[in-house]
Amino acid sequence: MKIYVDNAATTKMSKTAIEAMLPYMAEEYGNPSSLHSVGQRANEALSDARERVARVLNCEPREITFTSGGSEADNQAILSAAWLGARKGKKHIVSTAFEHHAVLHTLNKLAKEGFEITLLDVHENGLVTAQQVREAIRPDTCLVTIMFANNEIGTIQPIAEIGAVCREKGVLFHTDAVQAAGHLHIDVKAQNIDMLSVSGHKFHGPKGVGLLYARKGIFLVNLIEGGAQERGKRAGTENIPAIMGMAAALEEAAANLDANQAKLVKLRDRLIAGLEKIPHSALNGDAVKRLPNNVSFCFEGIEGEAMLLLLDDKGVYASSGSACTSGSLDPSHVLLAIGRVHDVAHGSLRLSLSEETTEEEVDYIIKAVAEVVEYLRSISPLWGDLVKGKREFILK
Ligand SMILES: *Cc1c(COP(=O)(O)O)cnc(C)c1O
C-alpha cells in the first residue's frame, strides 16, 4: 500500500484545480496589466478569481490580496499591523506560543525592533481562550494574531470569540487560517476577523500561491516594491494559473465541506481509537475541537524520525509534526507549548488524512504504527529502563 497521510504539509492537486490552471498556462498566457485583449482576458480571469474567493470567505473582492503563499500573507498582515501600531505609539502584540514559524519568526523580528510580544500559554488540550486574550490586551496593543487551527496538533481555536474581544477593545485581529481554509467554515464577518491568511496548496490547490484578506480600511505595507499590481500592495506580475487553480480548489472544497467533514471525522476517530490501544501513547490536543483530518500522537520511548523512516518502508507517508524543524534535534515548539516534556515530544507522529483516505487504509496504518512502535521499543535502551522501572513512565 502507498498511503499519503501528510496532507497538513501539502496536498495533491485536485482535477478541478489542474483543469482551471491549464488554459492560463497555454493559450491564455496574457499579462493582466497589458492593455490589449489578450492581457484583458487575463485581467478578467484575475477579477473573476478574486470575486470567487471573496464569496467563499464572505468578504469583498477588493479586500483580497493574492500572495505567494501562507508565509507571505502572514508576514504582510503582521508587519502591516505593526507599522500602523507604531505610528500611534502602540508596540505590543499578542499571539500564542504554538503559531507557525511564519508568524513566530516575524514576531521575533519585530521584537528586535522594539515591539513587545506576549505569547499566550496554550492549555494542555491545545487551546487558548478568549478570556486569555482579553487579559493580555493592553492600551498599547496593536495586534492579536492567533492561528485558526494548529498545523501540528489540529486544534481549532475559538476564533469568533477572540475576534469579538478584539473588536470590543479596538485591536486588529489577524488569524493564520492556512490549515482551516477548505477544511472548516470561514466567514470573516461572522467570525470578527480583520485579517486572514490562506495558502493554496493545503486544500488541493497549487503551491506558491495564497491570499491575504484585509478588511477595507486596513493599510497594508508592501513586502515587494515595484509595479501597481494588487492595488499597489504586492508588486510582480500575477501568477494567473496558480490563482485560478487556488480559486477553483477553494470553491470545490467549500462546496463539499460538510460532506468531507462528516467523512473525515469518522475516519479520524477510527484512527485515534486504534492508536490509543498502543500502550503508553497519548493523543495530542483536544479530541473534538480538532481538524477533521488531523491525528497527532506521542508514543513514549520512541524517536519520531526513526518511526517515520520505518513507516515509509511500509508505504505510510507521515510526519513527526515538525517538518519545519526537521534537521534539528529540537522537539516541536507546539508539543512543548502544550506541556509535553522533551522525551515524549520526540516520539510524535502526525497523520493528516485526505478525502481520498479509506477505512481500509486507516486500518492498515493502525497496524503499521503498532508494529513500528513495538519494534523500536524492543531495541531502545530507554524503553528497557522504563520497563525495568529504572525510569518512570510519563504516559500511562
Ligand atoms: C503551511 C502553513 C503555512 C505556510 O504556508 P505556505 O503557503 O507554505 O507559505 C503557514 N501557516 C500554517 C498554519 C501552515 O500550515
Side-chain angles (χ1 to χ4, degrees):
M1 279 213 201
K2 301 251 178 284
I3 312 173
Y4 182 85
V5 273
D6 199 12
N7 289 280
T10 197
T11 57
K12 179 168 96 177
M13 280 185 63
S14 72
K15 266 208 183 70
T16 312
I18 294 171
E19 277 163 15
M21 293 175 75
L22 288 175
Y24 297 92
M25 297 195 277
E27 60 273 19
E28 295 294 350
Y29 52 82
N31 183 328
S33 299
S34 300
L35 292 180
H36 47 66
S37 50
V38 181
Q40 284 317 294
R41 282 202 301 278
N43 195 32
E44 278 161 27
L46 181 61
S47 303
D48 176 54
R50 204 184 304 279
E51 276 168 32
R52 286 157 55 208
V53 298
R55 214 171 297 135
V56 173
L57 301 174
N58 193 25
C59 65
E60 290 177 28
R62 65 182 168 140
E63 294 175 313
I64 299 287
T65 303
F66 290 116
T67 67
S68 67
S71 300
E72 184 185 332
D74 284 341
N75 275 257
Q76 189 167 23
I78 293 166
L79 294 175
S80 297
W83 186 87
L84 278 168
R87 289 201 341 162
K88 296 183 203 152
K90 295 182 171 189
K91 296 183 80 172
H92 175 240
I93 297 174
V94 176
S95 187
T96 76
F98 78 158
E99 296 297 310
H100 189 273
H101 283 141
V103 169
L104 286 179
H105 292 175
T106 306
L107 294 176
N108 286 346
K109 187 159 87 174
L110 288 169
K112 287 192 193 116
E113 291 170 17
F115 280 80
E116 229 186 295
I117 316 292
T118 299
L119 296 183
L120 301 177
D121 287 335
V122 181
H123 292 267
E124 229 171 86
N125 61 358
L127 298 170
V128 293
T129 64
Q131 184 58 25
Q132 280 177 285
V133 174
R134 180 183 293 282
E135 285 162 12
I137 289 176
R138 314 191 308 211
D140 63 339
T141 305
C142 62
L143 172 70
V144 170
T145 174
I146 293 179
M147 69 200 317
F148 207 120
N150 185 270
N151 48 303
E152 289 189 32
I153 58 173
T155 49
I156 302 165
Q157 307 307 314
I159 291 301
E161 286 170 51
I162 293 171
V165 168
C166 294
R167 282 281 152 87
E168 183 195 320
K169 299 277 187 183
V171 176
L172 283 178
F173 175 44
H174 165 253
T175 184
D176 174 337
V178 172
Q179 289 292 330
H183 302 274
L184 301 174
H185 284 284
I186 296 181
D187 179 329
V188 294
K189 287 207 181 84
Q191 291 164 332
N192 309 308
I193 298 165
D194 295 316
M195 290 190 279
L196 169 132
S197 308
V198 169
S199 171
H201 72 103
K202 302 289 174 78
F203 48 82
H204 306 288
K207 293 171 181 57
V209 67
L211 65 84
L212 172 61
Y213 151 78
R215 187 167 51 73
K216 58 178 177 289
I218 297 174
F219 180 83
L220 295 181
V221 294
N222 290 31
L223 303 186
I224 300 175
E225 301 288 352
Q229 291 91 354
E230 296 300 293
R231 295 171 32 257
K233 295 306 170 194
R234 207 277 179 182
T237 303
E238 301 87 342
N239 187 349
I240 302 293
I243 290 169
M244 297 309 279
M246 174 170 65
L250 189 62
E251 271 188 333
E252 187 179 35
N256 299 314
L257 197 99
D258 293 319
N260 284 339
Q261 278 192 352
K263 183 189 168 205
L264 282 165
V265 163
K266 267 172 94 178
L267 290 173
R268 178 195 72 189
D269 293 346
R270 186 183 181 93
L271 184 51
I272 291 174
L275 296 179
E276 270 174 346
K277 296 207 179 99
I278 297 175
H280 307 288
S281 69
L283 177 71
N284 295 314
D286 195 273
V288 178
K289 289 177 184 159
R290 66 188 304 124
L291 288 167
N293 71 336
N294 175 290
V295 173
S296 166
F297 263 80
C298 281
F299 301 99
E300 194 159 3
I302 296 282
E303 197 57 62
E305 277 69 24
M307 182 161 41
L308 294 186
L309 296 178
L310 293 176
L311 284 174
D312 188 285
D313 286 343
K314 292 178 182 283
V316 176
Y317 310 122
S319 148
S320 63
S322 53
C324 304
T325 43
S326 63
S328 87
L329 280 176
D330 293 335
S332 139
H333 69 285
V334 173
L335 296 174
L336 296 181
I338 61 166
R340 293 278 185 232
V341 300
H342 280 239
D343 277 359
V344 168
H346 271 303
S348 63
L349 177 69
R350 177 185 71 185
L351 301 157
S352 38
L353 315 181
S354 88
E355 298 73 17
E356 290 182 2
T357 309
T358 65
E359 237 175 53
E360 192 192 2
E361 288 175 338
V362 164
D363 293 344
Y364 178 89
I365 295 168
I366 294 169
K367 194 165 153 279
V369 173
E371 284 168 6
V372 165
V373 168
E374 195 182 331
Y375 170 70
L376 286 173
R377 284 176 174 171
S378 75
I379 59 165
S380 154
L382 172 65
W383 184 255
D385 286 353
L386 286 163
V387 173
K388 285 184 207 128
K390 288 188 192 161
R391 295 167 71 122
E392 279 199 34
F393 281 109
I394 295 160
L395 303 177
K396 24 174 206 23

